[in-house]
């Protein structure tokens, strides 16, 4: 980071030399870095602007539209943020974009919302895999999972329906407060101590 000179740093040059004092310095820096996550998510979402990938709207509009449809249907805040972020992996994970979004969201959302985001690509396939010589019923491998119906409904009501250039999607700013609340602090992480649970 450009402003790193002003911040305290650990003294060790190899972790074998690390002390609790060093790791206190690093833990405080990590907490500060965590607070910047919502800004990084917002910036990365905007990388989706301009690339339509052959669809009628670009990937950014598709995300806004998916989230707007979920919001207007009365879904809760965490769900709406999942809808907004579900395709954030398109830039770095073109062959497994849902996995990328799932990994990013996992610490901050419920297990069923994590499943919904991480598996949405397979469920979305129901609407087009048969046009590409693939099995549209690939999602059936998850039949019986507690979040199966939730994920099928997400794709049916919101994701597969969010390619309309004429739809009046809400702007990104409208979702910012929701996104900041959902990404405020991880609920699940191996870095959380059981005696310091929120
Ligand atoms: Fe997707
Ligand atoms: Fe999508």
């Amino acid at each position: 980071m450009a402003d790193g000179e002003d911040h305290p740093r650990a003294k060790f040059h190899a972790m074998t030399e690390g002390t609790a004092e060093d790791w206190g310095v690093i833990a405080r820096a990590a907490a500060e870095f965590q607070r910047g996550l919502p800004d990084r998510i917002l910036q990365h979402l905007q990388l989706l602007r301009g690339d339509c990938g052959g669809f009628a709207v670009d990937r950014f509009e598709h995300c806004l539209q998916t989230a707007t449809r979920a919001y207007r249907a009365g879904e809760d805040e965490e769900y709406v943020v999942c809808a907004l972020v579900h395709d954030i992996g398109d830039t770095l994970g073109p062959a497994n974009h849902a996995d990328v979004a799932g990994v990013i969201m996992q610490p901050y959302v419920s297990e069923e919302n994590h499943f919904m985001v991480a598996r949405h690509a397979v469920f979305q396939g129901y609407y087009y895999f048969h046009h590409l010589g693939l099995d549209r019923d690939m999602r059936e491998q998850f039949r019986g999972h507690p979040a199966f119906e939730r994920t099928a409904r997400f794709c049916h009501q919101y994701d597969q329906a969010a390619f309309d250039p004429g739809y009046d999607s809400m702007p990104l700013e409208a979702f910012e407060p929701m996104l900041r609340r959902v990404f405020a602090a991880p609920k699940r992480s191996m870095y959380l101590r059981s005696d310091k649970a929120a």
Side-chain angles (χ1 to χ4, degrees):
M1 287 292 155
D3 61 352
E5 296 298 323
D6 301 331
H7 290 87
R9 306 222 195 156
K11 294 188 173 61
F12 66 78
H13 292 180
M15 283 190 181
T16 49
E17 304 160 357
T19 65
E21 187 184 340
D22 286 328
W23 284 97
V25 168
I26 292 165
R28 285 188 287 279
E32 182 62 32
F33 193 65
Q34 158 68 38
R35 281 191 279 279
L37 178 61
D39 289 314
R40 295 193 293 277
I41 298 281
L42 288 164
Q43 287 166 8
H44 207 97
L45 273 173
Q46 293 177 80
L47 296 179
L48 301 175
R49 277 190 213 272
D51 180 7
C52 292
F55 291 90
V57 300
D58 72 15
R59 299 178 196 279
F60 181 66
E61 163 59 25
H62 169 70
C63 286
L64 293 178
Q65 196 171 135
T66 306
T68 301
R69 289 176 183 277
Y71 179 80
R72 288 178 180 158
E75 303 294 350
D76 65 39
E77 181 165 285
E78 185 176 296
Y79 190 111
V80 170
V81 172
C82 285
L84 181 69
V85 177
H86 79 284
D87 279 338
I88 198 169
D90 274 347
T91 46
L92 294 178
N96 64 343
H97 76 282
D99 294 315
V100 174
V103 166
I104 291 169
M105 303 220 64
Q106 187 170 21
Y108 303 94
V109 299
S110 67
E111 288 185 27
E112 54 186 9
N113 278 342
H114 168 246
F115 180 92
M116 182 177 82
V117 171
R119 301 298 186 186
H120 82 266
V122 176
F123 284 68
Q124 187 87 323
Y126 180 76
Y127 300 95
Y128 73 93
F129 279 177
H130 50 297
H131 297 306
L132 297 174
L134 298 169
D135 177 12
R136 70 182 305 191
D137 293 319
M138 212 181 280
R139 67 183 187 178
E140 289 304 316
Q141 66 189 286
F142 298 113
R143 180 72 67 179
H145 187 281
F148 183 96
E149 294 301 334
R150 182 183 195 78
T151 308
R153 192 174 67 82
F154 168 74
C155 289
H156 186 73
Q157 288 186 225
Y158 310 124
D159 196 5
Q160 67 82 26
F163 298 96
D164 179 359
Y167 187 80
D168 61 330
S169 296
M170 292 156 57
L172 183 59
E173 299 73 48
F175 297 107
E176 257 196 64
M178 297 180 234
L179 187 143
R180 291 188 185 283
R181 284 190 288 270
V182 168
F183 283 103
K187 301 179 181 75
R188 297 183 280 158
S189 166
M190 70 175 181
Y191 300 114
L192 292 177
R193 275 166 53 174
S194 56
D195 61 332
K196 289 199 167 182

